[in-house]
């Protein structure tokens, strides 16, 4: 029996520097975004496991004997992946969930990821007890902000905890707690499997940021969390312009093949920005100085120009940069470009009036804007009563 009501949260992510260049072996810096996904865990009706995902319209429950029987059919699989909907074990899960093979709708993938993680974790560590799980997120979906990874990280931590594979570190009277490094590594490995169900062939960056938080360096498949990084205030703006990451990546590749002598130095410069920025971020906690912020702002400006040279800019992003520049703020796209999202640095001396005026001007362009932070903590366990009124209200409404 699981007898406690608790909450788990995990952050989204943004790419600070290195998008597109990372595909060609250069360094990228990914940072945790303090817009979070929250999972509420509470004891459920005996013999039933339920999940509610109001953001995508999912409300499902299953009897535990049925899950146990299905687990027996897929126990030998031991991996997640794009193969899930096509092989015999995957078809068993699809059939059980009543989802058509090849389904790609967010609600289908979210349900599949939950079922698959639940079955494979319980096959290894013992039954998932009767619990009710509800997930609500501050992160918009499909915006390149790691919403699916934050979901997978929350699920992995909650399911591993209720099965006893990791501890419940929250002591009586504490508001939040985090797991040990060893336990976090286990959470990350299972969250990656959930991401494989949703995305097929993810890099592992998003779930690693969701697990450890802060910032991490990614190069040629190697993920290295940075030891200490500052928490920086930003505006995150969604232009709401849809784009295809696949098409944008192909366009960059084509331009590099066409003009290698011109484009390769641009990629090298983006790589240098990522590495210089890493040095500044690691220096800031030990040696805080206002002088760091103009340097970070220049990195934003230079990299934004480079990304335009690569061909992944967009008139909406140009407009966004002009609007924030009018308020003496510096912005760059984050992620694939071609629309999508951008980040604007807010140095500590930025006046609240300037921030508010910039937000109003951005919203007047039809953009969606959040004032938030980067360098946020990774997956965290919460006492429900310690959550903000806004989060509690959202969980109660859901």
């Amino acid at each position: 029996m699981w007898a406690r009501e608790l909450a788990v949260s995990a952050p989204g992510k943004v790419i600070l520097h290195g998008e597109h260049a990372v595909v060609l072996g250069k360094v990228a810096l990914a940072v945790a975004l303090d817009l979070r996904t929250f999972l509420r865990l509470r004891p459920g009706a005996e013999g039933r496991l339920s999940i509610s995902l109001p953001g995508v319209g999912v409300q499902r429950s299953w009897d535990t004997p049925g899950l146990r029987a299905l687990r027996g059919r897929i126990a030998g699989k031991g991996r997640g992946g794009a193969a899930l909907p096509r092989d015999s074990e995957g078809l068993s899960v699809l059939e059980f969930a009543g989802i058509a093979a090849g389904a790609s709708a967010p609600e289908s993938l979210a349900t599949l990821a939950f079922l698959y993680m639940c079955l494979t974790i319980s096959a290894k560590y013992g039954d998932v007890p009767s619990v009710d799980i509800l997930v609500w997120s501050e992160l918009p979906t499909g915006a390149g902000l790691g919403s699916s990874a934050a979901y997978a990280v929350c699920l992995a931590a909650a399911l591993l905890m209720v099965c006893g594979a990791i501890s419940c570190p929250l002591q009586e009277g504490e508001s939040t707690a985090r797991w040990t490094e060893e336990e976090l590594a286990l959470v990350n490995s299972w969250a990656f499997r959930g991401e494989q169900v949703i995305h097929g062939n993810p890099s592992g960056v998003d779930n690693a940021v969701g697990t450890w938080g802060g910032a991490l360096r990614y190069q040629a498949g190697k993920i290295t969390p940075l030891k200490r990084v500052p928490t920086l205030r930003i505006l995150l703006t969604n232009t709401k312009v849809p784009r295809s990451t696949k098409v944008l990546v192909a366009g960059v590749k084509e331009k590099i093949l066409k003009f290698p002598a011109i484009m390769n130095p641009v990629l090298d410069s983006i790589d240098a920005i990522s590495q210089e920025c890493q040095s500044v971020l690691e220096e800031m906690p030990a040696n805080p100085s206002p002088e760091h912020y103009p340097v970070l702002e220049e990195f934003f400006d230079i990299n934004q120009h480079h990304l335009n040279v690569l061909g992944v800019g967009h008139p909406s992003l140009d407009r966004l940069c002009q609007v924030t520049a009018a308020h003496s703020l510096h912005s760059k796209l984050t992620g694939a470009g071609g629309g999508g999202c951008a980040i604007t640095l807010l140095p500590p001396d930025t006046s609240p009036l300037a921030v508010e005026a910039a937000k109003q001007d951005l919203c007047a362009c039809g953009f969606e804007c959040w004032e938030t932070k980067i360098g946020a903590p990774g997956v965290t366990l919460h006492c429900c009563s310690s959550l903000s009124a806004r989060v509690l209200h959202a969980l109660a409404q859901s």
Side-chain angles (χ1 to χ4, degrees):
M1 277 291 293
W2 181 257
R4 297 179 73 177
E5 180 173 340
L6 294 169
V8 177
S9 76
K13 75 93 181 52
V14 291
I15 301 296
L16 195 59
H17 292 292
E19 44 271 276
H20 289 286
V22 71
V23 179
L24 298 141
K26 308 300 184 186
V27 173
L29 295 180
V31 289
L33 181 65
D34 203 21
L35 293 174
R36 303 179 76 85
T37 291
F38 292 86
L39 181 155
R40 188 190 68 202
L41 184 69
R42 54 169 53 155
E46 187 58 40
R48 293 202 75 75
L49 181 65
S50 73
I51 185 161
S52 177
L53 309 171
V56 290
V58 170
Q59 178 87 49
R60 300 289 301 269
S61 73
W62 298 275
D63 64 273
T64 45
L67 288 169
R68 207 172 290 128
L70 178 61
R71 185 179 80 197
R73 288 156 67 186
I74 73 159
K77 188 174 171 61
R79 69 184 193 281
L84 175 65
R86 289 193 291 273
D87 61 19
S88 58
E89 293 93 341
L91 287 170
S92 298
V93 180
L94 287 162
E95 196 178 286
F96 184 79
I99 293 169
S104 59
E107 61 272 21
S108 300
L109 294 173
T111 304
L112 278 180
F114 170 72
L115 264 181
Y116 193 75
M117 290 171 75
C118 188
L119 292 162
T120 48
I121 285 172
S122 62
K124 191 169 176 69
Y125 301 108
D127 283 349
V128 173
S130 300
V131 289
D132 289 341
I133 287 174
L134 185 146
V135 183
W136 173 80
S137 187
E138 297 171 321
L139 290 157
T141 56
L145 301 175
S147 60
S148 67
Y151 169 65
V153 169
C154 285
L155 279 183
L159 292 171
L160 289 165
M161 184 173 66
V162 297
C163 285
I166 60 175
S167 66
C168 176
L170 193 69
Q171 303 300 315
E172 205 63 49
E174 288 183 334
S175 57
T176 62
R178 298 204 67 215
W179 289 273
T180 65
E181 278 298 310
E182 192 179 353
E183 288 173 323
L184 289 174
L186 189 62
V187 169
N188 186 54
S189 68
W190 283 97
F192 181 65
R193 293 193 189 192
E195 274 279 83
Q196 285 180 308
V197 173
I198 295 168
H199 288 301
N201 187 28
S203 67
V205 169
D206 290 14
N207 50 277
V209 173
T211 301
W212 279 285
L216 58 81
R217 172 190 172 115
Y218 178 77
Q219 184 176 26
K222 188 182 178 193
I223 298 170
T224 313
L226 276 56
K227 291 299 177 203
R228 285 184 69 199
V229 291
T231 303
L232 304 175
R233 288 171 62 223
I234 63 158
L235 285 180
L236 172 71
T237 304
N238 187 357
T239 66
K240 300 186 188 173
V241 174
R243 71 274 183 272
S244 163
T245 300
K246 191 175 176 182
V247 168
L248 289 158
V249 169
V252 172
K253 191 175 179 183
E254 188 182 327
K255 196 168 271 202
I256 293 163
L257 289 171
K258 191 175 180 181
F259 304 116
I262 298 169
M263 303 311 295
N264 284 323
V266 177
L267 296 170
D268 290 340
S269 182
I270 292 173
D271 185 60
I273 291 169
S274 295
Q275 297 196 56
E276 290 282 335
C277 185
Q278 179 182 341
S279 299
V280 172
L281 291 178
E282 290 180 323
E283 190 184 311
M284 286 176 80
N287 179 30
S289 162
E291 298 307 309
H292 289 125
Y293 288 92
V295 175
L296 293 175
E297 288 177 332
E298 282 196 78
F299 290 162
F300 269 37
D301 294 343
I302 298 166
N303 203 358
Q304 178 62 22
H305 287 304
H306 285 342
L307 289 161
N308 278 329
V309 170
L310 291 181
V312 297
H314 188 271
S316 64
L317 293 164
D318 295 338
R319 180 78 189 115
L320 186 153
C321 290
Q322 288 163 2
V323 167
T324 56
H327 297 281
S328 303
L329 298 171
H330 300 253
S331 306
K332 69 172 283 290
L333 70 84
T334 180
C341 292
I343 49 178
T344 305
L345 189 63
L346 299 176
D349 59 357
T350 310
S351 81
L353 285 174
V355 175
E356 202 48 49
K359 283 165 69 177
Q360 284 182 10
D361 288 352
L362 289 166
C363 291
C365 295
F367 304 152
E368 194 172 6
C369 195
W370 299 266
E371 188 178 343
T372 184
K373 300 184 185 82
I374 53 176
V379 65
T380 302
L381 186 62
H382 304 260
C383 164
C384 285
S385 60
S386 72
L387 295 170
S388 73
R390 178 172 168 271
V391 174
L392 282 173
H393 179 73
L395 292 171
Q397 293 297 104
S398 302

